Amino acid sequence: MNPIRFATPPRHEAAEALRHDVRAFLHDRLAHVPPIRRADSWTGVDKDFTRAMGARGWLGMTWPRCYGGHERSAFERYVVMEETLAAGAPVGAHWIGDRQSGPTLLKFGTEAQRRAVLPRIAAGQAMFCIGMSEPDSGSDLAATRTSARRTAQGWRINGTKVWTTGAHQSDYMILFCRTSGTPADRHAGTSQLLIDLHATPGIAIRPIIDLAGQHHFNEVHFDDALAPLDALIGQEGDGWNQVMSELAFERSGPERFLSSMQLIVELIAVLGKGHGDLTRAAIGRLSAHLIILRRRSRGVAAMLDAGENPALHAAIVKDLGAVFEQSVPDIARGLIDAEPDLAARADYNAVLAKIVMNAPSWSLRGGTREILRGIIARGLGVRG
């Protein structure tokens, strides 16, 4: 069995100094945001908030200045992500672009794509979604059937993407598709395209309503949609390798273990002081798990800062983080006898209801548990 070691995250003085500024900003901006909205975690969308983050220089933080970035460290960026998530800030309008799509364009995009799009992300003016999952294949990206055929006019695209977070509010999508061969070829013949959702004919976006009655997810249908030839990101046919690199950004951050943070906040507020040994033990166990996950996640940030590819380590953080997040509602219900109710006046009951209904999706988004454990098994050398 191959050993897997995480990097030790160093203490970063500049990042800790930045933490105070971020907390002060969030205290002012979120003063009137109720707990039920804070429980949206990174799916809450407020484009004014995102533009304010851009104005502060807290988007595109690690990117070169020539692309609108600020050339700060991965740890300073981590602090901004961690503090905004812990506070329940509505980060959805910049989340995917800043975390995932922007770094992909920086690494694989053409100079024209970088110059045109990255400054808009850094200013909080461009919202992204990602087109990966498909009907009947879920998170098995190698089974993708959406095709893009090269023609004299551009890329002719046909197929359907599902569970596409925020597509109805987004300006761009990075589409994972097949530009040659068939799904039987698995990793070969796949590519990524930059899709302008406002300027690409042949795209229809339809809502998928989740258990809580919310509209975050969408179906995105491509019916002979036509994208320009310069929409290709990176090398044609190298989409699999590119998207594996992209997923390292998606799977390793604090969003993978802070989705139920607002419920922990409300739980501790309701419990108050003077609770018994069993309650203290439960809260202590939650805190210990949170500290370990945070250390592992910051270890991935250290690897990214060193220019390494932490795809395997990110899969471990994502899998363990989802287990933790999904355990919180059951632990809360074991400590407080209260009925989950979205319409309740009591914040704890309403937040509990939202978390209970959202939690099942947390082991689906960003790669199902089965896919992640397959990656981990191969990394350990126990699966071919």
Side-chain angles (χ1 to χ4, degrees):
M1 183 180 297
N2 302 326
I4 299 175
R5 292 187 174 85
F6 281 74
T8 299
R11 180 172 175 79
H12 196 289
E13 297 301 334
E16 293 311 309
L18 174 62
R19 191 182 298 278
H20 298 288
D21 293 340
V22 178
R23 285 183 178 176
F25 168 78
L26 294 172
H27 181 268
D28 291 340
R29 292 289 303 204
L30 305 181
H32 302 294
V33 177
I36 189 68
R37 283 187 54 202
R38 295 184 186 225
D40 286 336
S41 187
W42 57 273
T43 60
V45 172
D46 180 338
K47 294 190 176 182
D48 287 339
F49 178 83
T50 285
R51 284 190 285 271
M53 290 282 289
R56 291 233 165 199
W58 292 343
L59 303 179
M61 291 180 69
T62 62
W63 305 349
R65 293 185 187 280
C66 62
Y67 301 127
H70 305 281
E71 299 183 359
R72 302 184 78 162
S73 71
F75 290 99
E76 288 171 292
R77 178 175 177 274
Y78 191 96
V79 162
V80 172
M81 294 174 65
E82 184 176 51
E83 291 296 331
T84 51
L85 289 169
V91 297
H94 63 261
W95 191 252
I96 292 173
D98 181 55
R99 174 189 67 166
Q100 189 169 341
S101 302
T104 293
L105 291 172
L106 193 60
K107 188 172 184 179
F108 300 109
T110 65
E111 186 63 14
Q113 289 169 342
R114 293 175 188 151
R115 296 279 180 184
V117 178
L118 293 180
R120 294 188 61 206
I121 298 175
Q125 297 172 352
M127 181 171 171
F128 268 72
C129 62
I130 50 175
M132 290 190 184
S133 298
E134 295 191 3
D136 305 321
S137 62
S139 296
D140 183 8
L141 295 179
T144 192
R145 292 178 296 179
T146 295
S147 66
R149 182 168 53 87
R150 182 189 284 271
T151 70
Q153 294 75 38
W155 297 100
R156 281 288 176 191
I157 308 168
N158 285 282
T160 298
K161 295 294 180 180
V162 293
W163 310 118
T164 312
T165 302
H168 60 302
Q169 298 163 300
S170 292
D171 304 294
Y172 295 96
M173 167 191 284
I174 290 187
L175 174 70
F176 182 72
C177 57
R178 190 166 293 285
T179 48
S180 66
T182 71
D185 296 326
R186 300 294 288 174
H187 303 167
T190 57
S191 301
Q192 289 180 296
L193 300 180
L194 176 63
I195 304 297
D196 184 334
L197 294 173
H198 302 304
T200 305
I203 295 178
I205 299 172
R206 298 171 186 154
I208 298 174
I209 305 301
D210 68 16
L211 283 174
Q214 305 162 121
H215 177 198
H216 300 303
F217 300 126
N218 300 273
E219 293 180 347
V220 183
H221 300 271
F222 295 85
D223 183 10
D224 259 350
L226 183 64
L229 289 174
D230 62 6
L232 179 68
I233 301 171
Q235 297 297 315
E236 183 176 347
D238 199 33
W240 180 262
N241 291 327
Q242 292 177 196
V243 84
M244 286 301 103
S245 174
E246 179 180 342
L247 287 174
F249 297 110
E250 183 189 5
R251 290 174 172 163
S252 59
E255 73 275 18
R256 296 310 181 190
F257 55 89
L258 289 178
S259 301
S260 49
M261 190 64 196
Q262 192 61 39
L263 180 57
I264 296 176
V265 170
E266 298 303 322
L267 173 66
I268 292 173
V270 172
L271 287 170
K273 298 179 180 178
H275 33 71
D277 289 345
L278 289 177
T279 298
R280 284 198 291 270
I283 298 299
R285 193 173 298 113
L286 278 174
S287 302
H289 287 171
L290 199 55
I291 290 167
I292 294 298
L293 284 165
R294 182 174 184 265
R295 183 177 175 82
R296 292 286 181 258
S297 177
R298 293 180 71 238
V300 172
M303 296 175 72
L304 289 170
D305 208 36
E308 300 174 38
N309 181 357
L312 171 61
H313 303 74
I316 294 172
V317 172
K318 202 277 182 184
D319 185 40
L320 293 176
V323 170
F324 170 77
E325 292 177 329
Q326 291 177 326
S327 73
V328 173
D330 288 339
I331 293 170
R333 298 183 76 175
L335 295 174
I336 296 177
D337 184 14
E339 192 68 24
D341 181 0
L342 274 177
R345 298 182 65 179
D347 291 330
Y348 174 79
N349 300 58
V351 170
L352 176 62
K354 175 166 278 192
I355 298 297
V356 165
M357 288 188 280
N358 284 331
S361 70
W362 295 342
S363 52
L364 299 175
R365 64 190 186 188
T368 64
R369 187 159 288 151
E370 290 76 11
I371 293 292
L372 295 172
R373 292 183 179 179
I375 294 171
I376 296 166
R378 281 191 290 274
L380 288 169
V382 298
R383 177 179 174 183

